[in-house]
Amino acid sequence: MRRMMGGMQADTVIVGAGIGGLSLAHALARAGHSVVVVERNPSPPMFIRPELLWPATVSWLETLLSSEIRRNLEWLPLEGIRVTDGDGVWETVGREAMKRSGIQPLSTHPARTRQALWETAAFPILGGALFEGFERDSRGNVQAVRVRQGDKEFVVETRRVVADDGAQSPVRKAAGLDFPLHEFELSFVIFEAKPFPEFPRHGHLWRPRQTIAEVAAVAVIPYAPEAAMGLAICLEGGRAMEEVWRDLKEARVPHVASLPENFQKLPHYVPRWGHAPVYGKNGVGLMGDAAHPVSPAGGQGANMSVADARVLADAILHAGDCWVDAYEAVRRRPNGRSMRFTHVARFFQKNRLAGFTTGFADWFTHRLARHPSWQARLLRQAATAFQ
Ligand SMILES: Cc1cc2nc3c(=O)[nH]c(=O)nc-3n(C[C@H](O)[C@H](O)[C@H](O)COP(=O)(O)OP(=O)(O)OC[C@H]3O[C@@H](n4cnc5c(N)ncnc54)[C@H](O)[C@@H]3O)c2cc1C
């Protein structure tokens, strides 16, 4: 049986305890602002996926977490990226490029970062609580959000709601801010792996080329000295994935000791992407994947979300009723820049005709390996696009 309860009040309600929503809540709470986070999962998420964080993101997150927590997180400084293809092994990002660019990417376990932000919260997080809708005044402005937690229904009174509830954002739909999303042509199968023993701090990418047509690459990205995330980047093909997976196992991917047996049990993502035409109205604002879901290309999504949080905190604390406009004025351009990585990846994927994409990827890989100046430029672009 459902019971409607009254009760809570907050200056800002954030729906979704993603990396962006939680860091925004920390920044607001620290400034003495009352904030409540509504999250459908009862506890911090335990998902696996690789997540590179760039220096600007790391330095802001460091201001939100105590030094002890930061030490326990053990974010791993990545020393390079090596690509294996039919022609050999290529270091496509190396120490020299990092030195030249001054950029040190950190490889992280995303669930651990979110858990640290969750467990150190000095604000209420309503875990296991679903956003159900808004209560509005006669002009359409938000007055409260309706929340369901188990068999209880209640409202949290607020004039400001921030949606960090992911690419499919229920808040965005309820606020009349929805927009069509595009399907990314690649999908991602994720598994736990071990770092390559000889280069335990390098990311490794194996390109099977035409031998397994449905797999563009298999990546292994260490996030701790002994642990790594594995990622199979898959293309649409005629064959069932079980069959493709069997071929992959038999092909003995050079840097993967053994692929997990049961492909069906592994997390499988088909990213959606798009950019909201407006970032908010009537007291509702969108951030992170709710505003601009992207593909993993360029390692941008989580970094964009944290950059949104930083600007939103400032706009909420200092721009009064114009907080959405102030936030959008700063964030639309950098978010558009970050989306270019998805556009480029998609262009090559869509034009996968007559070996053109494979030929270009070979040419680019080999060139990149020979030119640390190209590597440094690419690193700088990925590390700064979202700022
Ligand atoms: C394979 C892969 C690799 C990636 N690699 C990188 C990388 O290297 N670097 C990078 O920066 N990004 C990367 N990303 C992207 C990154 O993970 C996302 O962009 C980022 O997690 C988005 O964070 P967010 O805070 O915006 O939202 P999310 O993390 O999606 O959080 C949304 C939250 O909202 C909650 N929610 C949803 N609906 C409701 C509801 N009705 N009520 C209450 N709560 C709700 C969900 O439970 C969830 O906790 C990668 C993504 C993938 C799939």
Side-chain angles (χ1 to χ4, degrees), residues 2-339:
R2 289 186 176 184
R3 286 174 290 149
M4 184 66 98
M5 299 165 60
M8 294 183 91
Q9 222 178 7
D11 294 333
T12 299
V13 170
I14 299 171
V15 181
I19 193 168
L22 285 176
S23 42
L24 171 62
H26 272 272
L28 290 175
R30 184 168 289 188
H33 190 90
S34 77
V35 56
V36 169
V37 176
V38 174
E39 166 58 48
R40 71 178 167 196
N41 288 316
S43 51
M46 284 318 300
F47 58 80
I48 57 165
R49 72 176 63 153
E51 194 162 272
L52 294 186
L53 296 180
W54 300 103
T57 306
V58 171
S59 30
W60 197 58
L61 287 178
E62 283 182 346
T63 66
L64 304 177
L65 294 166
S66 73
S67 49
E68 194 195 333
I69 302 279
R70 276 175 356 233
R71 264 196 307 280
N72 289 343
L73 278 171
E74 291 180 333
W75 289 330
L76 187 87
L78 215 56
E79 290 181 356
I81 296 178
R82 292 163 64 85
V83 178
T84 305
D85 62 20
D87 296 329
V89 182
W90 311 87
E91 187 166 67
T92 53
V93 177
R95 283 215 184 114
E96 193 187 332
M98 290 193 195
K99 211 163 126 202
R100 277 189 195 208
S101 62
I103 306 290
Q104 174 60 71
L106 294 187
S107 179
T108 66
H109 191 308
R112 288 190 192 160
T113 311
R114 285 149 181 81
Q115 184 176 13
L117 287 164
W118 180 304
E119 286 175 354
T120 54
F123 46 85
I125 301 178
L126 307 179
L130 263 185
F131 163 83
E132 294 243 293
F134 298 113
E135 314 240 308
R136 301 172 181 276
D137 66 12
S138 56
R139 301 170 74 183
N141 293 319
V142 165
Q143 301 295 300
V145 291
R146 285 196 309 279
V147 173
R148 180 159 54 85
Q149 199 175 25
D151 68 348
K152 284 186 285 180
E153 266 191 21
F154 53 94
V155 294
V156 184
E157 285 175 35
T158 187
R159 300 276 174 90
R160 189 183 297 109
V161 179
V162 176
D164 182 46
D165 52 346
Q168 302 294 346
S169 180
V171 173
R172 188 175 72 211
K173 291 188 183 92
L177 292 165
D178 213 14
F179 56 96
L181 297 182
H182 311 281
E183 205 164 282
F184 197 57
E185 280 80 5
L186 300 172
S187 63
F188 299 84
V189 179
I190 301 173
F191 52 95
E192 291 274 3
K194 288 274 175 221
F196 193 53
E198 288 164 45
F199 295 93
R201 287 167 180 261
H202 273 68
H204 292 266
L205 203 84
W206 176 66
R207 296 184 45 232
R209 288 201 182 144
Q210 276 91 356
T211 52
I212 303 176
E214 296 86 350
V215 178
V218 179
V220 167
I221 304 181
Y223 62 86
E226 297 291 319
M229 299 286 182
L231 190 71
I233 306 171
C234 306
L235 316 164
E236 272 295 304
R239 293 193 301 160
M241 265 316 281
E242 285 82 351
E243 207 180 313
V244 174
W245 198 253
R246 230 178 9 250
D247 281 2
L248 256 188
K249 284 183 77 66
E250 277 166 21
R252 295 183 170 272
V253 182
H255 46 268
V256 181
S258 70
L259 287 166
E261 204 58 52
N262 194 343
F263 151 81
Q264 299 284 11
K265 286 201 172 148
L266 301 173
H268 197 154
Y269 290 95
V270 182
R272 305 274 190 282
W273 62 277
H275 199 167
V278 281
Y279 281 8
K281 66 174 186 190
N282 297 97
V284 182
L286 309 176
M287 71 177 298
D289 278 8
H292 40 64
V294 285
S295 75
Q300 297 293 296
N303 290 277
M304 293 160 86
S305 196
V306 173
D308 285 353
R310 191 173 181 168
V311 174
L312 258 174
D314 199 47
I316 289 171
L317 294 172
H318 304 294
D321 288 345
C322 301
W323 63 279
V324 170
D325 294 340
Y327 154 64
E328 181 162 353
V330 180
R331 289 301 303 153
R332 179 163 290 281
R333 276 185 73 174
N335 286 332
R337 273 200 303 270
S338 284
M339 299 214 63

